[in-house]
């Protein structure tokens, strides 16, 4: 594989950010790859399905230190550091307009524990609340996904393009069951899957939201959705990957996607995304599940050719409901 910045991004305005993110992801990947077949010390967070290992923590520390070395004034939101803050009573992470790195050091921890090879490091960067850089690296399969706003998405240096499928019939869906195990959430989650899969070809759950989104960007899956995942770190980089590969990224209810909403839906075309949303809006949410973005939660992806920077900023700051596409 080519472990470097894709050539078209070398002159991109965010090339420095991309370079540092790739370097950090590759370094964390070495830690994960080395530990993948070793005995692991596993701890539970919220329940027996929500796991963390010493490798998660070591990888996050390494990523943060690499990025801080180059950008000491930037902000950071990481899965493990946010979990620690939550344990100390800080219930919500706030996103500002400042450059902010969203890091999942090891997405797919359960896969990692069981030796299932769909594990990755996911690094996204927002500027002004909009995702502009994304890097997702699976060190076991040696797949390096890189995207920059307006510059395209790439796997090991090759440009990505979504499947382009427009109808539910014949589409392959990706999703995740999450870590909640209460009956209310499980009933809601399986209810959504039942309604969609009854109209689609089949479904795949591979244990990583970030890689699920990258699968849509790559065309391995035609669509992916998940509601109530851990936080922005799960979806920031992967959502940009889909958008830059020509796909559609929306909230599962059909409105614009917000990186802080803990909900995402991606598809190989706008038509397919709208068809999925038409089904999902009729499905019940569990009482503990995250609902659609509220007022003031604006656009987190800038779609090429449809909105300029001022328009996105105005919608992000302005009042009103999230618009539909």
């Amino acid at each position: 594989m080519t472990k470097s910045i894709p050539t078209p991004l070398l002159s991109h305005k965010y090339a420095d950010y991309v370079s540092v993110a790739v370097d950090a992801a590759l370094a964390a990947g070495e830690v994960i790859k080395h530990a993948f077949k070793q005995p692991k010390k596993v701890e539970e967070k919220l329940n027996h399905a929500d796991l963390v290992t010493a490798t998660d923590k070591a990888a996050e520390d390494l990523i943060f230190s690499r990025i801080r070395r180059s950008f000491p004034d930037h902000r950071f939101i990481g899965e493990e550091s946010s979990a620690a803050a939550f344990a100390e009573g800080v219930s919500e992470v706030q996103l500002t307009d400042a450059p902010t790195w969203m890091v999942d050091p090891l997405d797919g921890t359960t896969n990692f524990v069981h030796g299932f090879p769909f594990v990755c490091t996911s690094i996204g960067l927002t500027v002004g609340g909009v995702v502009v850089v994304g890097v997702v690296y699976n060190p076991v399969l040696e797949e390096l996904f890189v995207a920059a706003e307006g510059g395209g998405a790439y796997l090991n240096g090759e440009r990505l393009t979504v499947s382009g499928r427009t109808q539910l019939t014949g589409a392959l869906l990706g999703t995740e069951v999450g870590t909640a195990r209460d009956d209310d959430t499980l009933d809601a989650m399986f209810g959504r899957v039942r309604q969609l899969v009854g109209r689609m070809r089949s479904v795949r759950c591979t244990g990583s939201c970030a890689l699920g989104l990258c699968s849509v960007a790559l065309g391995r899956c035609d669509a992916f959705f998940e509601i109530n995942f851990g936080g922005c770190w799960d979806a920031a980089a992967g959502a940009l990957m889909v958008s830059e590969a020509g796909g559609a990224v929306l909230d599962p209810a059909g409105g614009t996607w917000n990186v802080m909403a803990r909900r995402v839906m991606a598809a190989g075309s706008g038509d397919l995304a709208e068809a999925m949303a038409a089904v999902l809006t009729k499905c019940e949410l569990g009482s503990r599940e995250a609902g659609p973005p509220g007022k003031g939660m604006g656009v987190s992806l800038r779609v090429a050719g449809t909105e300029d920077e001022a328009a996105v900023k105005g919608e992000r700051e302005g009042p009103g409901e999230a618009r539909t596409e």
Side-chain angles (χ1 to χ4, degrees):
M1 63 171 287
T2 303
K3 293 184 178 180
S4 61
I5 302 174
T7 300
L9 298 184
L10 290 173
S11 58
H12 192 277
K13 64 179 179 179
Y14 294 132
D16 289 345
Y17 296 155
V18 172
S19 177
V20 171
V22 168
D23 173 73
L26 292 176
E30 288 302 308
V31 172
I32 294 167
K33 190 173 182 179
H34 175 75
F36 187 69
K37 294 185 178 180
Q38 303 298 320
K40 303 170 182 69
K41 182 180 179 181
V42 182
E43 300 175 13
E44 294 181 4
K45 291 194 282 189
L46 297 178
N47 58 39
H48 67 277
D50 192 9
L51 307 178
V52 65
T53 70
T55 304
D56 295 72
K57 299 171 183 177
E60 182 171 289
D61 289 345
L62 176 59
I63 293 167
F64 280 11
S65 66
R66 291 281 180 122
I67 297 176
R68 283 195 176 106
R69 187 186 309 163
S70 298
F71 309 111
D73 296 330
H74 287 192
R75 298 189 177 190
F76 297 80
I77 303 174
E79 179 176 16
E80 302 315 321
S81 54
S82 294
F86 182 82
E88 295 175 2
V90 180
S91 61
E92 188 173 347
V93 177
Q94 298 294 330
L95 178 63
T96 70
D97 280 351
T100 302
W101 296 88
M102 299 174 171
V103 176
D104 192 337
L106 205 174
D107 191 26
T109 300
T110 297
N111 289 346
F112 176 73
V113 169
H114 287 269
F116 192 72
F118 290 93
V119 299
C120 69
T121 290
S122 177
I123 302 174
L125 172 67
T126 64
V127 175
V130 176
V131 186
V132 299
V133 169
V135 173
V136 176
Y137 179 45
N138 181 337
V140 181
L141 300 181
E142 294 194 336
E143 292 184 333
L144 177 65
F145 297 87
V146 182
E149 181 192 76
Y154 304 82
L155 169 57
N156 296 345
E158 297 295 323
R159 187 78 180 249
L160 297 181
T161 304
V162 295
S163 70
R165 188 174 294 276
T166 59
Q167 297 181 345
L168 293 171
T169 303
L172 181 62
L173 172 69
T175 191
E176 299 300 338
V177 300
T179 57
R181 292 296 180 265
D182 61 284
D183 288 342
D184 184 41
T185 303
L186 289 174
D187 287 346
M189 183 272 297
F190 283 115
R192 291 189 292 268
V193 173
R194 178 185 177 87
Q195 289 301 316
L196 280 173
V197 175
R199 296 167 168 83
M200 302 174 80
R201 175 161 291 161
S202 193
V203 63
R204 299 290 181 266
C205 299
T206 54
S208 164
C209 180
L211 289 176
L213 290 165
C214 287
S215 290
V216 177
L218 181 58
R220 283 177 179 160
C221 285
D222 300 298
F224 177 89
F225 86 97
E226 187 173 359
I227 293 174
N228 225 48
F229 49 79
C232 56
W233 49 80
D234 286 308
L240 180 65
M241 217 71 61
V242 174
S243 181
E244 288 296 322
V249 181
L250 299 175
D251 181 81
T256 50
W257 175 70
N258 184 276
V259 70
M260 301 302 289
R262 298 173 58 220
R263 302 159 47 98
V264 69
M265 179 178 65
S269 69
D271 288 342
L272 181 56
E274 290 174 4
M276 289 176 61
V279 175
L280 290 172
T281 52
K282 298 177 182 177
C283 297
E284 295 290 334
L285 277 177
S287 60
R288 300 181 183 180
E289 292 188 306
K295 294 181 178 180
M297 296 182 72
V299 183
S300 293
L301 290 173
R302 191 176 290 119
V303 181
T306 61
E307 296 172 295
D308 61 19
E309 185 171 355
V312 171
K313 191 173 190 297
E315 182 167 350
R316 184 176 66 252
E317 294 178 349
E321 301 293 337
R323 64 177 175 83
T324 57
E325 295 184 351

